[in-house]
Amino acid sequence: MMLNKLFRISLRYGLAGGVLAFVLLVIMYYSGRHPLVVSPFLDFRILLFGIFIFFALKEFRDYDQDGVLYFAQAMLGGLAVIFTLSALASVLLLIFGYIEGDFVKDYVVKVTEYIRSFSEEDKARIGKDIYDRNLAALPATNISTLAFTYFIHGLVIGFFVNIILSVILRRQPKT
């Protein structure tokens, strides 16, 4: 029963977060900064995951559990938020990519420019064959690949944020 309530709360926060993540993607794109060319360390999803996981777990802990939240419950609730947020944002990104034809083209151009700006030292460190293969594969990029990559990156980013928040928000019953 309690897990059902936890997943319902997590789903609600995940859906709200997914819509907000998509809106931020669109805003970034139309403001001239392609959202998929941002460094993972500066990705706005770190903050979004933090906010939505925090409030979902806090609501469950404070209103449904009388202040008690076990680490396993926190991890499950946070993972539900992460999965829902990432899945919804990725599906909306997929739809947006089909509607906005220049989205993938702009991505390919910006990443190609970025890769070509590598120094010879960077190319040697990566490996000339890997560098050439990645550069040659860019024109074949499609919105499905970008949306799937966005989803996977969201799961990875969210997982680490979730661990931190699950440790911070857990509370054992007082004996």
Side-chain angles (χ1 to χ4, degrees):
M1 182 66 179
M2 278 300 141
L3 279 180
N4 199 9
K5 183 74 171 179
L6 174 64
F7 286 127
R8 208 170 320 123
I9 292 169
S10 297
L11 180 67
R12 188 176 70 232
Y13 279 94
L15 290 173
V19 169
L20 183 57
F22 173 71
V23 168
L24 290 173
L25 279 170
V26 171
I27 289 171
M28 283 180 68
Y29 177 70
Y30 285 123
S31 66
R33 177 95 176 153
H34 201 288
L36 303 183
V37 186
V38 175
S39 167
F41 301 110
L42 302 174
D43 196 320
F44 63 84
R45 288 177 291 179
I46 296 170
L47 184 61
L48 278 182
F49 285 130
I51 291 169
F52 285 95
I53 291 170
F54 176 83
F55 284 109
L57 295 179
K58 187 168 177 2
E59 178 181 325
F60 179 70
R61 181 191 72 192
D62 294 347
Y63 297 111
D64 296 305
Q65 293 283 100
D66 297 322
V68 174
L69 181 68
Y70 296 102
F71 180 75
Q73 290 173 320
M75 283 299 292
L76 285 174
L79 288 173
V81 171
I82 293 163
F83 186 82
T84 306
L85 190 155
S86 296
L88 180 60
S90 297
V91 167
L92 293 174
L93 175 64
L94 184 68
I95 294 167
F96 178 73
Y98 282 119
I99 294 170
E100 179 59 63
D102 290 338
F103 186 80
V104 175
K105 291 176 196 168
D106 291 345
Y107 172 81
V108 170
V109 167
K110 290 185 190 279
V111 173
T112 302
E113 289 172 359
Y114 173 71
I115 290 175
R116 287 198 172 137
S117 71
F118 285 5
S119 68
E120 289 303 319
E121 181 181 301
D122 290 336
K123 292 176 190 176
R125 189 177 42 207
I126 294 169
K128 183 73 171 138
D129 56 330
I130 295 172
Y131 173 84
D132 291 336
R133 189 171 3 134
N134 287 339
L135 196 57
L138 267 174
T141 303
N142 60 38
I143 190 59
S144 300
T145 304
L146 293 179
F148 181 72
T149 303
Y150 188 78
F151 174 72
I152 296 299
H153 286 176
L155 294 180
V156 172
I157 292 168
F159 180 75
F160 291 106
V161 172
N162 189 33
I163 290 172
I164 294 167
L165 288 173
S166 293
V167 169
I168 292 171
L169 289 172
R170 75 168 193 246
R171 280 200 202 140
Q172 303 293 330
K174 294 180 178 148
T175 54

